[in-house]
Amino acid sequence: MNAIILCGGLSTRLGEITKTIPKVLLEIKGKTVLEWQTEKLKKIGITEVVLAAGHLNEELFDKVGLHLDGVTFTYAIEQERLGTGGAIKHGLSYLGNSEPTIILNGDILTTIDLADMAAHLKVDSDGVILGAKVDDAATYGTLDYNEARKLIQFKEKEGLHEPGYINGGMYIFTEQIKKYFPDENNFSIEYDVFPKMTDLYVYESNLPWIDIGVPERLAWAREHWSE
């Protein structure tokens, strides 16, 4: 499998915390988010990763370079704002094969077994998305899917303080994802691509998951996160 880590966002919600350092290099319990993620990828044999970088890409390269703990990086640097979908499209152009590709948002931590998630990929489908369970889904959009775990729709934030399965920011896409991309380069995977996809499945997980993209969740992870 291939792997792309999305790490080019502006990180506006973290304010001064990420003014000079990209989110993927924030430290959680002695390791950067990038190190947590590459360790998980190495466990399933992935040692070559595309970093879809943009904002602060120079700092990322200066700190990380081309290699980290047995993983080799290729930098797919945005020359203009691309959005989440455009960043994936750009990152995929750096891959030399048509194998399935794992996509990770550069601000999430999870204890899931990637090998198990990959085992749930149907080879003739569009792919599989991590459905992460949170205790309070009020600030997230949730996933609506059937008994076969085929995605029906993404539901917008409803403000309901109740448990739910949300987009966990981790995907495994087959080559078919490309047919849903618009011609332009700046677009959203959530709003411009997912609604068009007809054969996307949900990997449901109740295991710990966190998005460290806001100060309070970053602080929680720094104090409590553990594999």
Side-chain angles (χ1 to χ4, degrees):
M1 283 191 175
N2 304 301
I4 298 172
I5 297 176
L6 304 179
C7 48
L10 295 175
S11 308
T12 54
R13 295 182 300 170
L14 285 170
E16 292 296 314
I17 298 172
T18 48
K19 188 174 181 178
T20 59
I21 185 172
K23 276 189 294 188
V24 78
L25 291 184
L26 293 175
E27 284 201 4
I28 311 291
K29 291 294 189 73
K31 291 188 283 192
T32 65
V33 175
L34 182 62
E35 288 174 307
W36 283 107
Q37 293 188 342
T38 52
E39 282 180 7
K40 189 169 290 291
L41 292 169
K42 281 198 300 181
K43 287 178 181 178
I44 62 169
I46 293 177
T47 57
E48 296 182 3
V49 177
V50 172
L51 297 180
H55 179 60
L56 297 175
N57 67 79
E58 297 92 348
E59 285 74 10
L60 179 62
F61 184 81
D62 287 346
K63 295 281 196 311
V64 177
L66 297 174
H67 307 280
L68 176 67
D69 295 332
V71 175
T72 299
F73 298 114
T74 297
Y75 289 77
I77 298 174
E78 300 178 4
Q79 301 303 319
E80 57 182 349
R81 300 303 304 155
L82 297 179
T84 51
I88 292 172
K89 180 181 180 180
H90 184 56
L92 288 172
S93 71
Y94 282 73
L95 302 175
N97 61 66
S98 59
E99 296 297 320
T101 301
I102 299 174
I103 313 286
L104 298 93
N105 286 356
D107 58 2
I108 62 113
L109 298 172
T110 176
T111 62
I112 72 158
D113 180 353
L114 259 181
D116 190 57
M117 182 173 174
H120 283 75
L121 175 67
K122 301 177 188 296
V123 294
D124 56 348
S125 71
D126 296 332
V128 59
I129 175 175
L130 171 61
K133 186 178 181 180
V134 293
D135 293 332
D136 185 351
T139 60
Y140 300 97
T142 54
L143 304 178
D144 182 15
Y145 49 96
N146 62 24
E147 290 183 0
R149 297 189 178 176
K150 187 173 183 179
L151 185 69
I152 299 171
Q153 66 172 332
F154 286 84
K155 298 172 70 175
E156 294 292 333
K157 299 174 186 176
E158 297 178 302
L160 301 176
H161 295 283
E162 60 186 25
Y165 289 94
I166 67 168
N167 174 3
M170 183 180 291
Y171 325 104
I172 306 178
F173 292 137
T174 65
E175 184 79 354
Q176 295 188 80
I177 183 70
K178 295 179 180 179
K179 70 183 182 183
Y180 300 105
F181 291 157
D183 292 335
E184 61 266 25
N185 292 323
N186 186 344
F187 60 94
S188 163
I189 193 73
E190 297 87 356
Y191 296 106
D192 299 318
V193 177
F194 285 154
K196 300 176 185 176
M197 298 177 75
T198 58
D199 202 22
L200 183 63
Y201 289 81
V202 175
Y203 177 75
E204 187 180 277
S205 172
N206 297 328
L207 294 173
W209 172 96
I210 193 168
D211 155 21
I212 54 93
V214 295
E216 57 268 26
R217 292 201 289 266
L218 173 61
W220 185 95
R222 283 175 162 170
E223 183 175 353
H224 300 289
W225 187 257
S226 171
E227 282 281 353

